[in-house]
Amino acid sequence: MTADSRIRQALDRAIELGERGIAVAAYHRGELIVEAVAGADSDTLFPIFSVTKGVTATAVHLQAERGLVDLHAPIARYWPEFGTYGKEKVTVEQALSHRAGIPQMPDGVTPELMADWDWMTARIAEFTPVYEPGTANAYHVLVWGWILGEVVRRTDPAGRSFDRFVAEEICAPLGITDFHLGVPDADLPRVAKLHGGNEFSIVDEHNISPRAVFPGSDVHNQRTVLQAVDPGAGAVATAGAVARIFAMLAEGGTLEGARLLSPERVATFARPRENAHDPDKVLTIPVWFGANGFWLGGEEGASDPLVGDHRDIIYSPGAGGSLAWADLRDRVAVAICHNDMDTPAVVEPERTFAPVVRAIREIVNERERR
């Protein structure tokens, strides 16, 4: 679609502020209102890191919607091998909300081993919690994806791999072709080269984000990683594809006639996790997180102000700054992807995404007044 001149100017400003390649897409009331790129081709695919978590959480909730997963049940009900060494009572909701107590990655992990689903899940099943499950907020930076992804895989009557499940149960109904958990060979030339982002500020005394698989450009430019199925931090997509998934959430679980979730279930996504005000033991920034797998808006000093200022907002930020959100009240969904992972550190005179978000809000406000 042709970008509004304000979006084009905002993207140009983002480039001036330091972005190399940036893409944005936005929906309002289920209608695509913005889709534009600067510093990259229109079909460029961007690694989106933990923005992936919002899609993986959606996959878990699809299974819950179908009665195949009880969020309050132990993971071991669906994955018996997981129920060992103190993890017997860890629930699906505790994993979704980063309170499972196992934020670590397996010892000796490499990009090649991380790409081996069976190796990863077998090692995770042998974990001993480093925090008592259900007692501590501890962001599961990388391992989160395999924990929840295996729950989805184990409860899928068709026994599909997690990437196939997402492709067939989320992307296909929404008409999405440019969201990848494992980039096909033919699409590798479309992937934006990442720059920077190799210093991530976390507390890592428990091998939570080991250097060998660190979520930065050194690791995520590697073909092995681009083609791995990593449900916590490994999706590669266009901004349009990500925004479309979040638009479905902003519309209460439906988009253009395709219903994936009930409005009642989506409404629960804005519920804070247990002991939500407790500091996170892994992330050094304030964290306002939900019970159901999403970061939440509306908490002053903790929520990202770019996504809005009220409680009915769910969002997923990624390492290096990529961001997607769904405003459940105002029915707005936005995804912003980029490839310079150091630009989020640029805050003066303003964040690089700020002009883009302002332009989107102007367009939405105009539409609201009609």
Side-chain angles (χ1 to χ4, degrees), residues 51-70:
V51 175
T52 312
K53 289 182 172 69
V55 180
T56 295
T58 298
V60 174
H61 290 294
L62 278 176
Q63 295 299 77
E65 185 89 355
R66 295 164 178 171
L68 298 170
V69 169
D70 178 349

Side-chain angles (χ1 to χ4, degrees), residues 26-224:
Y27 283 75
H28 179 228
R29 295 180 178 174
E31 181 181 343
L32 180 66
I33 60 169
V34 169
E35 189 169 26
V37 179
D41 294 332
S42 60
D43 67 345
T44 295
L45 298 168
F46 292 87
I48 59 172
F49 296 92
S50 285
V51 175
T52 312
K53 289 182 172 69
V55 180
T56 295
T58 298
V60 174
H61 290 294
L62 278 176
Q63 295 299 77
E65 185 89 355
R66 295 164 178 171
L68 298 170
V69 169
D70 178 349
L71 300 181
H72 301 292
I75 290 174
R77 175 185 295 181
Y78 313 110
W79 178 6
E81 299 90 335
F82 181 89
T84 58
Y85 305 107
K87 304 188 303 301
E88 293 84 354
K89 296 182 180 180
V90 175
T91 68
V92 178
E93 183 177 294
Q94 286 169 345
L96 280 167
S97 60
H98 299 267
R99 292 176 57 82
I102 49 171
Q104 69 268 34
M105 285 287 276
D107 291 337
V109 68
T110 64
E112 291 74 21
L113 290 172
M114 188 173 74
D116 183 335
W117 186 275
D118 290 340
W119 185 88
M120 283 292 299
T121 54
R123 299 292 82 71
I124 292 165
E126 297 170 350
F127 279 177
T128 298
V130 297
Y131 304 107
E132 183 180 347
T135 66
N137 296 333
Y139 191 67
H140 291 41
V141 178
L142 297 174
V143 74
W144 187 96
W146 286 276
I147 299 169
L148 277 310
E150 184 69 355
V151 170
V152 171
R153 195 187 70 80
R154 295 272 181 144
T155 58
D156 177 19
R160 289 166 290 186
S161 62
F162 185 74
D163 55 311
R164 275 195 61 199
F165 182 94
V166 170
E168 294 175 3
E169 299 294 339
I170 296 177
C171 294
L174 297 176
I176 293 168
T177 57
D178 279 335
F179 184 94
H180 301 289
L181 285 160
V183 180
D185 289 346
D187 287 315
L188 284 171
R190 297 171 54 199
V191 179
K193 181 180 179 181
L194 296 166
H195 300 269
N198 294 307
E199 297 298 329
F200 191 52
S201 179
I202 66 169
V203 178
D204 200 5
E205 59 182 309
H206 299 296
N207 201 46
I208 294 166
S209 186
R211 179 58 57 185
V213 292
F214 192 80
S217 61
D218 287 348
V219 170
H220 280 254
N221 279 330
Q222 297 178 34
R223 179 173 183 157
T224 298

Side-chain angles (χ1 to χ4, degrees), residues 331-346:
R331 297 169 59 191
V332 175
V334 180
I336 306 176
C337 308
H338 69 159
N339 64 331
D340 191 325
M341 300 181 69
D342 289 332
T343 53
V346 178

